[in-house]
């Protein structure tokens, strides 16, 4: 039990930091010679507390650089480090000017809680100061015939250096600024502000302009990709093909298919179908009757042929033939009688 009480008392100073704290970005990256402003957001209950900015990762060994209760650190335009508190929006901001590579490291947004059993509420951030180059957008895209602009930033040590725009992998393609910090031809324009950035504008893009390029300052380079999309093909409208008297405005609108017109068309189709069916049935009936007549006559003809064969095969004198009479009882009868 005593151990639990001791553990609880040891954690009390950290309770404010866990329940309600201050927040900022984990990391910032900036070019040498530039300024950086870091926002530190806090909970409303800390509006009246003293805020501070210090360098280090432990409160006990953190070097204080600015405090809201110090009137000497409130002018961002003059001071190396300044701090301003905005209780209305619950944020205090820290501005660091003319940064050097040596200024890289861990920093702390802190709020002074005070008291024996209370620890300050803090949040850490890592600031990286680089000497070299950055590009605002390393991927540019434009339509064929349009223009795109690359914004290349450089650190203070490259202010007087020659600025170049090169096609990646081909140093012979480099275009460099002159003594006035500019270059321009029919397809490329380069302009250096001599303070930390230069812009490159590609004019009247063509499909062959697509590819990778370098922004270069001194010995530093940074890659930029340029994408070129084809120009849309021109389509000829139907209206342009018509004469003024045949314009779309003078064409009669298509008649909608109404329920009545569809019904009348249905009746016509039904009548045609019925007539076709009747004609087919009549044709089939006539054909069946002719086939039946032929079938009825076949036995009679066959018997007559047999009798003729017998008569032609008789070898005696015709006068010796007994009188014979062929009697057809009726036209439809299949029986043949001889006498």
């Amino acid at each position: 039990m005593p151990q639990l009480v001791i553990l609880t008392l040891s954690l009390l100073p950290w309770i404010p930091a866990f329940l309600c704290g201050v927040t900022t970005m984990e990391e910032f990256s900036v070019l040498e010679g530039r300024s950086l402003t870091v926002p530190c957001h806090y909970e409303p209950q800390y509006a009246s507390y003293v805020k501070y900015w210090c360098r280090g990762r432990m409160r006990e060994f953190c070097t204080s650089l600015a405090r809201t209760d110090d009137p000497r650190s409130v002018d961002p335009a003059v001071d190396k480090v300044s701090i301003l508190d905005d209780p209305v929006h619950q944020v205090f901001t820290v501005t660091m000017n003319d940064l050097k590579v040596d200024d890289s490291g861990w920093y702390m947004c802190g709020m002074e809680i005070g008291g024996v059993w209370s620890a300050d509420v803090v949040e850490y951030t890592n600031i990286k100061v680089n000497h070299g180059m950055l590009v605002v957008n390393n991927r540019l895209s434009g339509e064929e015939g349009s223009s795109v602009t690359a914004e290349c930033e450089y650190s203070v040590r490259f202010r007087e250096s020659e600025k170049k725009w090169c096609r990646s992998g081909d140093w012979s393609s480099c275009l460099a600024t002159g003594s006035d910090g500019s270059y321009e031809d029919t397809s490329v324009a380069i302009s250096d502000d001599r303070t930390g950035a230069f812009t490159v504008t590609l004019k009247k893009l063509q499909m062959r302009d697509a590819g990778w390029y370098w922004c270069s300052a001194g010995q530093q380079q940074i890659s930029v990709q340029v994408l070129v999309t084809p120009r849309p093909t021109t389509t000829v409208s139907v209206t342009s093909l018509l004469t003024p008297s045949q314009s779309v405005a003078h064409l009669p609108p298509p008649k909608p298919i109404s329920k009545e017109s569809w019904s009348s068309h249905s009746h016509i189709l039904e009548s045609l179908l019925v007539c076709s069916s009747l004609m087919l049935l009549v044709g089939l009936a006539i054909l069946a009757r002719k086939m039946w007549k032929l079938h009825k006559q076949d036995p009679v003809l066959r018997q007559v042929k047999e009798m003729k064969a017998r008569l032609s095969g008789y070898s005696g004198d015709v006068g010796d033939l007994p009188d014979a009479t062929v009697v057809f009882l009726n036209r439809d009868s299949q029986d043949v009688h001889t006498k």
Side-chain angles (χ1 to χ4, degrees):
M1 188 66 178
Q3 291 83 358
L4 181 60
V5 173
I6 294 173
L7 179 61
T8 303
L9 292 176
S10 63
L11 292 176
L12 284 176
W14 305 102
I15 291 177
F18 286 113
L19 295 180
C20 303
V22 58
T23 58
T24 189
M25 290 180 61
E26 294 181 359
E27 183 177 290
F28 292 89
S29 183
V30 63
L31 286 174
E32 184 183 26
R34 299 294 183 87
S35 298
L36 175 67
T37 298
V38 179
C40 303
H41 302 271
Y42 55 85
E43 299 296 330
Q45 61 267 33
Y46 296 114
S48 60
Y49 285 71
V50 173
K51 285 59 171 203
Y52 59 86
W53 176 256
C54 65
R55 183 172 184 177
R57 293 215 63 178
M58 296 182 65
R59 178 66 187 94
E60 293 76 10
F61 304 99
C62 191
T63 303
S64 180
L65 300 176
R67 295 173 58 91
T68 56
D69 59 352
D70 184 355
R72 296 174 299 175
S73 56
V74 295
D75 190 352
V78 176
D79 300 323
K80 168 70 176 179
V81 182
S82 61
I83 187 170
L84 291 173
D85 188 15
D86 183 0
V88 176
H89 297 96
Q90 293 92 51
V91 59
F92 66 93
T93 56
V94 178
T95 301
M96 301 179 67
N97 296 315
D98 192 24
L99 288 166
K100 308 298 182 185
V101 175
D102 293 340
D103 292 323
S104 299
W106 285 94
Y107 291 81
M108 183 189 300
C109 293
M111 292 184 295
E112 195 171 68
I113 303 301
V116 178
W117 302 105
S118 299
D120 291 348
V121 178
V122 298
E123 182 62 42
Y124 301 95
T125 184
N126 188 22
I127 295 177
K128 296 181 179 179
V129 182
N130 305 306
H131 72 273
M133 296 191 65
L134 293 175
V135 64
V136 175
N137 186 1
N138 64 356
R139 188 174 185 180
L140 305 175
S141 179
E143 185 180 294
E144 187 179 11
S146 65
S147 301
V148 293
T149 299
E151 299 181 41
C152 308
E153 300 182 350
Y154 52 84
S155 57
V156 63
R157 66 180 66 186
F158 297 112
R159 285 179 179 173
E160 302 302 324
S161 299
E162 186 180 51
K163 312 306 184 301
K164 296 179 181 179
W165 175 257
C166 312
R167 199 167 187 108
S168 181
D170 183 10
W171 284 106
S172 63
S173 66
C174 292
L175 303 174
T177 56
S179 57
D180 59 348
S182 64
Y183 171 88
E184 186 169 6
D185 59 24
T186 57
S187 58
V188 180
I190 306 174
S191 178
D192 183 15
D193 63 8
R194 300 295 182 90
T195 62
F198 69 95
T199 59
V200 180
T201 301
L202 302 182
K203 302 179 289 185
K204 299 178 182 179
L205 285 173
Q206 300 183 35
M207 295 303 297
R208 65 172 180 265
D209 293 328
W212 286 92
Y213 294 81
W214 286 331
C215 283
S216 175
Q219 300 301 315
Q220 298 291 318
Q221 302 93 32
I222 189 165
S223 298
V224 179
Q225 185 182 16
V226 176
L227 303 175
V228 182
T229 56
R231 182 182 299 165
T233 56
T234 304
T235 57
V236 181
S237 64
V238 177
T239 306
S240 62
L241 298 177
L242 298 174
T243 61
S245 60
Q246 295 176 322
S247 62
V248 176
H250 293 85
L251 291 177
K255 293 182 179 180
I257 300 176
S258 61
K259 189 173 183 180
E260 292 76 10
S261 61
W262 176 252
S263 300
S264 62
H265 293 161
S266 300
H267 290 318
I268 295 173
L269 292 175
E270 290 175 0
S271 301
L272 290 175
L273 184 61
V274 170
C275 291
S276 301
S277 301
L278 290 176
M279 292 178 66
L280 179 62
L281 291 175
V282 170
L284 290 174
I286 295 173
L287 180 63
R289 185 181 180 189
K290 287 185 177 182
M291 295 296 294
W292 176 252
K293 286 183 177 181
L294 290 175
H295 178 72
K296 296 280 284 183
Q297 290 177 0
D298 282 347
V300 176
L301 293 175
R302 187 168 51 252
Q303 291 183 16
V304 171
K305 288 180 180 180
E306 290 176 357
M307 290 181 64
K308 287 183 178 182
R310 290 175 187 173
L311 290 175
S312 63
Y314 184 71
S315 58
D317 190 359
V318 176
D320 295 336
L321 281 173
D323 294 335
T325 303
V326 178
V327 179
F328 295 92
L329 296 180
N330 79 46
R331 185 177 179 181
D332 295 331
S333 176
Q334 295 182 5
D335 297 331
V336 180
H337 301 278
T338 59
K339 291 183 182 180

